[in-house]
PDB file of all heavy atoms in Angstrom:
ATOM      1  N   ILE A 150      -1.866 -11.649  28.394  1.00 95.00           N
ATOM      2  CA  ILE A 150      -1.669 -12.216  27.002  1.00 95.00           C
ATOM      3  C   ILE A 150      -0.869 -11.381  26.190  1.00 95.00           C
ATOM      4  O   ILE A 150       0.006 -11.832  25.545  1.00 95.00           O
ATOM      5  CB  ILE A 150      -3.076 -12.469  26.415  1.00 95.00           C
ATOM      6  CG1 ILE A 150      -3.856 -13.546  27.049  1.00 95.00           C
ATOM      7  CG2 ILE A 150      -2.956 -12.700  24.915  1.00 95.00           C
ATOM      8  CD1 ILE A 150      -5.311 -13.725  26.736  1.00 95.00           C
ATOM      9  N   LEU A 151      -1.084  -9.927  26.304  1.00 94.00           N
ATOM     10  CA  LEU A 151      -0.403  -9.087  25.503  1.00 94.00           C
ATOM     11  C   LEU A 151       1.178  -9.064  25.827  1.00 94.00           C
ATOM     12  O   LEU A 151       2.054  -9.107  25.004  1.00 94.00           O
ATOM     13  CB  LEU A 151      -0.874  -7.622  25.650  1.00 94.00           C
ATOM     14  CG  LEU A 151      -2.149  -7.333  24.834  1.00 94.00           C
ATOM     15  CD1 LEU A 151      -2.737  -5.953  25.093  1.00 94.00           C
ATOM     16  CD2 LEU A 151      -1.937  -7.422  23.332  1.00 94.00           C
ATOM     17  N   LEU A 152       1.409  -8.912  27.132  1.00 93.00           N
ATOM     18  CA  LEU A 152       2.841  -8.924  27.647  1.00 93.00           C
ATOM     19  C   LEU A 152       3.511 -10.281  27.270  1.00 93.00           C
ATOM     20  O   LEU A 152       4.674 -10.359  26.943  1.00 93.00           O
ATOM     21  CB  LEU A 152       2.906  -8.712  29.111  1.00 93.00           C
ATOM     22  CG  LEU A 152       2.572  -7.295  29.468  1.00 93.00           C
ATOM     23  CD1 LEU A 152       2.483  -7.158  30.981  1.00 93.00           C
ATOM     24  CD2 LEU A 152       3.626  -6.308  28.927  1.00 93.00           C
ATOM     25  N   THR A 153       2.838 -11.402  27.320  1.00 94.00           N
ATOM     26  CA  THR A 153       3.364 -12.694  26.895  1.00 94.00           C
ATOM     27  C   THR A 153       3.757 -12.709  25.417  1.00 94.00           C
ATOM     28  O   THR A 153       4.782 -13.170  24.992  1.00 94.00           O
ATOM     29  CB  THR A 153       2.488 -13.797  27.288  1.00 94.00           C
ATOM     30  OG1 THR A 153       2.152 -13.771  28.647  1.00 94.00           O
ATOM     31  CG2 THR A 153       3.063 -15.228  26.958  1.00 94.00           C
ATOM     32  N   ILE A 154       2.836 -12.255  24.634  1.00 93.00           N
ATOM     33  CA  ILE A 154       2.978 -12.166  23.123  1.00 93.00           C
ATOM     34  C   ILE A 154       4.188 -11.233  22.787  1.00 93.00           C
ATOM     35  O   ILE A 154       5.039 -11.636  22.016  1.00 93.00           O
ATOM     36  CB  ILE A 154       1.715 -11.761  22.427  1.00 93.00           C
ATOM     37  CG1 ILE A 154       0.633 -12.766  22.488  1.00 93.00           C
ATOM     38  CG2 ILE A 154       1.991 -11.382  21.009  1.00 93.00           C
ATOM     39  CD1 ILE A 154      -0.676 -12.397  21.994  1.00 93.00           C
ATOM     40  N   TYR A 155       4.298 -10.143  23.405  1.00 92.00           N
ATOM     41  CA  TYR A 155       5.334  -9.136  23.066  1.00 92.00           C
ATOM     42  C   TYR A 155       6.632  -9.633  23.583  1.00 92.00           C
ATOM     43  O   TYR A 155       7.662  -9.168  23.038  1.00 92.00           O
ATOM     44  CB  TYR A 155       5.024  -7.842  23.649  1.00 92.00           C
ATOM     45  CG  TYR A 155       3.746  -7.088  23.044  1.00 92.00           C
ATOM     46  CD1 TYR A 155       3.040  -6.131  23.758  1.00 92.00           C
ATOM     47  CD2 TYR A 155       3.341  -7.392  21.771  1.00 92.00           C
ATOM     48  CE1 TYR A 155       1.961  -5.545  23.164  1.00 92.00           C
ATOM     49  CE2 TYR A 155       2.231  -6.775  21.280  1.00 92.00           C
ATOM     50  CZ  TYR A 155       1.561  -5.835  21.884  1.00 92.00           C
ATOM     51  OH  TYR A 155       0.487  -5.249  21.440  1.00 92.00           O
ATOM     52  N   ARG A 156       6.678 -10.374  24.575  1.00 91.00           N
ATOM     53  CA  ARG A 156       8.021 -10.913  25.106  1.00 91.00           C
ATOM     54  C   ARG A 156       8.334 -12.374  24.752  1.00 91.00           C
ATOM     55  O   ARG A 156       9.196 -12.959  25.368  1.00 91.00           O
ATOM     56  CB  ARG A 156       8.082 -10.730  26.624  1.00 91.00           C
ATOM     57  CG  ARG A 156       8.024  -9.409  27.187  1.00 91.00           C
ATOM     58  CD  ARG A 156       8.037  -9.402  28.674  1.00 91.00           C
ATOM     59  NE  ARG A 156       8.911 -10.333  29.241  1.00 91.00           N
ATOM     60  CZ  ARG A 156      10.207 -10.107  29.570  1.00 91.00           C
ATOM     61  NH1 ARG A 156      10.648  -8.947  29.250  1.00 91.00           N
ATOM     62  NH2 ARG A 156      10.893 -11.123  30.052  1.00 91.00           N
ATOM     63  N   ILE A 157       7.652 -12.820  23.752  1.00 89.00           N
ATOM     64  CA  ILE A 157       7.717 -14.354  23.491  1.00 89.00           C
ATOM     65  C   ILE A 157       9.232 -14.712  23.113  1.00 89.00           C
ATOM     66  O   ILE A 157       9.575 -15.874  23.216  1.00 89.00           O
ATOM     67  CB  ILE A 157       6.816 -14.725  22.330  1.00 89.00           C
ATOM     68  CG1 ILE A 157       6.516 -16.214  22.341  1.00 89.00           C
ATOM     69  CG2 ILE A 157       7.275 -14.297  21.003  1.00 89.00           C
ATOM     70  CD1 ILE A 157       5.692 -16.673  23.513  1.00 89.00           C
ATOM     71  N   GLU A 158       9.983 -13.773  22.581  1.00 89.00           N
ATOM     72  CA  GLU A 158      11.386 -14.131  22.283  1.00 89.00           C
ATOM     73  C   GLU A 158      12.278 -14.504  23.399  1.00 89.00           C
ATOM     74  O   GLU A 158      13.332 -15.084  23.248  1.00 89.00           O
ATOM     75  CB  GLU A 158      12.082 -13.027  21.363  1.00 89.00           C
ATOM     76  CG  GLU A 158      12.268 -11.703  22.145  1.00 89.00           C
ATOM     77  CD  GLU A 158      11.163 -10.780  21.904  1.00 89.00           C
ATOM     78  OE1 GLU A 158      10.085 -11.060  21.271  1.00 89.00           O
ATOM     79  OE2 GLU A 158      11.170  -9.637  22.486  1.00 89.00           O
ATOM     80  N   PHE A 159      11.850 -14.281  24.656  1.00 89.00           N
ATOM     81  CA  PHE A 159      12.530 -14.513  25.842  1.00 89.00           C
ATOM     82  C   PHE A 159      12.107 -15.852  26.508  1.00 89.00           C
ATOM     83  O   PHE A 159      12.591 -16.329  27.502  1.00 89.00           O
ATOM     84  CB  PHE A 159      12.371 -13.538  26.959  1.00 89.00           C
ATOM     85  CG  PHE A 159      12.854 -12.078  26.583  1.00 89.00           C
ATOM     86  CD1 PHE A 159      12.066 -11.102  26.313  1.00 89.00           C
ATOM     87  CD2 PHE A 159      14.222 -11.934  26.502  1.00 89.00           C
ATOM     88  CE1 PHE A 159      12.526  -9.810  25.983  1.00 89.00           C
ATOM     89  CE2 PHE A 159      14.777 -10.697  26.135  1.00 89.00           C
ATOM     90  CZ  PHE A 159      13.870  -9.702  25.922  1.00 89.00           C
ATOM     91  N   GLY A 160      11.285 -16.578  25.740  1.00 89.00           N
ATOM     92  CA  GLY A 160      10.832 -17.890  26.210  1.00 89.00           C
ATOM     93  C   GLY A 160       9.437 -17.822  26.745  1.00 89.00           C
ATOM     94  O   GLY A 160       9.006 -16.759  27.322  1.00 89.00           O
ATOM     95  N   ILE A 161       8.568 -18.796  26.579  1.00 91.00           N
ATOM     96  CA  ILE A 161       7.197 -18.720  27.027  1.00 91.00           C
ATOM     97  C   ILE A 161       7.088 -18.715  28.519  1.00 91.00           C
ATOM     98  O   ILE A 161       6.177 -17.964  29.038  1.00 91.00           O
ATOM     99  CB  ILE A 161       6.436 -19.984  26.325  1.00 91.00           C
ATOM    100  CG1 ILE A 161       4.927 -19.856  26.665  1.00 91.00           C
ATOM    101  CG2 ILE A 161       6.879 -21.394  26.923  1.00 91.00           C
ATOM    102  CD1 ILE A 161       4.268 -18.747  25.732  1.00 91.00           C
ATOM    103  N   GLY A 162       7.926 -19.476  29.244  1.00 90.00           N
ATOM    104  CA  GLY A 162       7.747 -19.434  30.678  1.00 90.00           C
ATOM    105  C   GLY A 162       8.156 -18.188  31.316  1.00 90.00           C
ATOM    106  O   GLY A 162       7.381 -17.654  32.152  1.00 90.00           O
ATOM    107  N   ASN A 163       9.248 -17.491  30.877  1.00 90.00           N
ATOM    108  CA  ASN A 163       9.682 -16.212  31.361  1.00 90.00           C
ATOM    109  C   ASN A 163       8.688 -15.112  30.997  1.00 90.00           C
ATOM    110  O   ASN A 163       8.312 -14.351  31.777  1.00 90.00           O
ATOM    111  CB  ASN A 163      11.048 -15.929  30.832  1.00 90.00           C
ATOM    112  CG  ASN A 163      11.687 -14.690  31.348  1.00 90.00           C
ATOM    113  OD1 ASN A 163      11.195 -14.167  32.340  1.00 90.00           O
ATOM    114  ND2 ASN A 163      12.675 -14.237  30.726  1.00 90.00           N
ATOM    115  N   SER A 164       8.278 -15.173  29.773  1.00 90.00           N
ATOM    116  CA  SER A 164       7.209 -14.153  29.231  1.00 90.00           C
ATOM    117  C   SER A 164       5.934 -14.372  30.072  1.00 90.00           C
ATOM    118  O   SER A 164       5.326 -13.318  30.488  1.00 90.00           O
ATOM    119  CB  SER A 164       7.084 -14.398  27.785  1.00 90.00           C
ATOM    120  OG  SER A 164       8.195 -14.221  27.073  1.00 90.00           O
TER     121      SER A 164
END
Side-chain angles (χ1 to χ4, degrees):
I150 292 171
L151 283 177
L152 290 171
T153 303
I154 289 172
Y155 292 155
R156 292 179 41 89
I157 200 70
E158 65 267 3
F159 296 110
I161 189 72
N163 184 16
S164 299

